Amino acid sequence: MKNALHTHTELLGLIGHPIKHTFSPMMHNVASQLLDADYLYLPFDISPAELKEGISGLKALGFKGFNVTVPHKEAIFPFLDAVSEEAVVIGAVNCVVNNSGALQGYNTDAFGVQYALDPFREEITGSPVMIFGAGGASRAAVYALIRHYRPSVIHIVNRTVQRAEQIAHHFKQQMHYEGIETSESAPFDTDAIMRGCKLIINTTSLGMTPLTTDSPVSSSEGFTRDQIVFDMVYNPVKTQFLRFAEEKDAVTIEGIKMLVAQGAKSFELWTGKQMPVAEIYDTLLKYLNP
Ligand code: NAP
């Protein structure tokens, strides 16, 4: 290893609880090696009760920056000195830069969503959209959609409809957007509304390895060949949800695209360098289930 552990090695990391099945250390460490840059990225399992001490520890050790994952994405706000516009509006931080002791929070998931959707900007702008799920990833998607593509309507379908309603209320207040409609996933029949949407996004964790036959929809009935279908689940690369969409010849976008883009944005914020995204993409493909 060219970049292993010199005295000037800059430290990067990830905090979450539990920390399992993360591909972030591999992405960032491989990127550093490919660029011959002297960074080391480490994962840390920090419980909610230890969050304050954990952040103090990272600051004391001079970490240049770190990613933040479940369950700390909202809880970290009081420990930050500044927060970017998109992270404030989304209400979640997934990337922190340590500027000589001053912590600045960002949400690079929103950038990842935009990166995945931008090739379809013309089709998406002003069109009806459906989102399955109402967690943190859904909020990042809603932000990116309103900010960049202003959909005519965003239907949010979620198992717990109250969480979808909270998102509708939140974005009405934060971005003055009144086009969010909400539904409960069962027994609500989504197919008819889906067929009228240009873009369909899965932001639930349904379909993730090992439960790869799961999907927010039970058939291909709601898909059409005119649609763009994006699944944020990245392992497996080709989910059941995307397989249903392909049965109807819809255009599909895999979650790995967003995964690499949000990682690349974090890497750039910490190091000022461009992640070699094509190489990282190929590296990830070797470790993810097809
Ligand atoms: P989260 O905040 O925990 O939200 C999870 C969502 O999935 C909620 O809407 C939840 O519904 C729904 N859900 C979970 N289990 C379900 C089940 N058995 N049946 C129906 N709905 C279920 O998680 P998140 O941070 O938003 O992440 C969601 C997914 O996006 C994960 O798979 C994550 O890996 C992926 N993601 C990918 C990227 C990327 O770069 N590709 C980035 C961020 C996230 P309830 O509200 O009813 O619980």
Side-chain angles (χ1 to χ4, degrees), residues 69-70 73-74 94 109 112 132-139 157-161 163-164 185 202-206 208 214 216 230-234 254-263:
T69 188
V70 179
K73 286 183 177 187
E74 293 98 32
N94 77 332
D109 280 342
F132 290 98
S138 175
R139 281 171 179 260
V157 179
N158 197 45
R159 177 178 60 181
T160 313
V161 72
R163 292 186 82 192
S185 36
N202 175 35
T203 74
T204 76
S205 44
L206 289 167
M208 260 171 62
D214 283 358
F230 173 27
D231 197 339
M232 286 199 193
V233 171
Y234 53 81
E254 296 159 351
I256 184 175
K257 199 164 181 188
M258 174 180 169
L259 180 69
V260 175
Q262 61 78 30

Side-chain angles (χ1 to χ4, degrees), residues 1-3 28-37 39:
M1 283 170 78
K2 287 183 197 162
N3 61 342
H28 293 287
N29 289 326
V30 171
S32 296
Q33 287 178 26
L34 288 169
L35 294 174
D36 204 9
Y39 293 88

Side-chain angles (χ1 to χ4, degrees), residues 12-203:
L12 305 171
L14 165 69
I15 59 170
H17 181 73
I19 293 281
K20 277 186 192 162
H21 314 300
T22 172
F23 292 90
S24 294
M26 188 219 291
M27 282 173 65
H28 293 287
N29 289 326
V30 171
S32 296
Q33 287 178 26
L34 288 169
L35 294 174
D36 204 9
D38 211 355
Y39 293 88
L40 179 67
Y41 185 106
L42 300 163
F44 296 101
D45 190 327
I46 293 176
S47 72
E50 297 165 324
L51 183 60
K52 189 175 178 203
E53 287 74 18
I55 293 168
S56 299
L58 294 176
K59 274 173 86 168
L61 293 169
F63 271 67
K64 183 73 192 136
F66 53 93
N67 283 129
V68 182
T69 188
V70 179
H72 304 313
K73 286 183 177 187
E74 293 98 32
I76 196 163
F77 273 82
F79 306 109
L80 301 174
D81 299 285
V83 182
S84 64
E85 183 264 352
E86 84 287 343
V88 169
V89 175
I90 293 166
V93 160
N94 77 332
C95 176
V96 175
V97 177
N98 181 4
N99 294 314
S100 310
L103 301 184
Q104 163 103 40
Y106 298 87
N107 190 305
T108 67
D109 280 342
F111 175 80
V113 173
Q114 187 197 350
Y115 179 88
L117 296 182
D118 234 26
F120 309 98
R121 171 175 284 276
E122 272 185 36
E123 296 102 300
I124 296 168
T125 299
S127 298
V129 174
M130 178 173 279
I131 298 179
F132 290 98
S138 175
R139 281 171 179 260
V142 170
Y143 170 86
L145 285 166
I146 298 172
R147 171 70 70 230
H148 301 292
Y149 313 110
R150 206 78 191 174
S152 55
V153 57
I154 304 176
H155 298 277
I156 303 183
V157 179
N158 197 45
R159 177 178 60 181
T160 313
V161 72
Q162 292 83 353
R163 292 186 82 192
E165 287 163 359
Q166 281 165 9
I167 293 183
H169 180 70
H170 180 84
F171 282 93
K172 192 171 171 180
Q173 293 203 315
Q174 291 284 332
M175 297 181 87
H176 310 294
Y177 182 79
E178 304 205 6
I180 298 181
E181 295 182 0
T182 59
S183 308
E184 196 176 331
S185 36
F188 175 73
D189 177 7
T190 51
D191 291 348
I193 297 177
M194 263 176 83
R195 281 194 288 271
C197 289
K198 186 75 199 167
L199 171 69
I200 320 275
I201 311 179
N202 175 35
T203 74

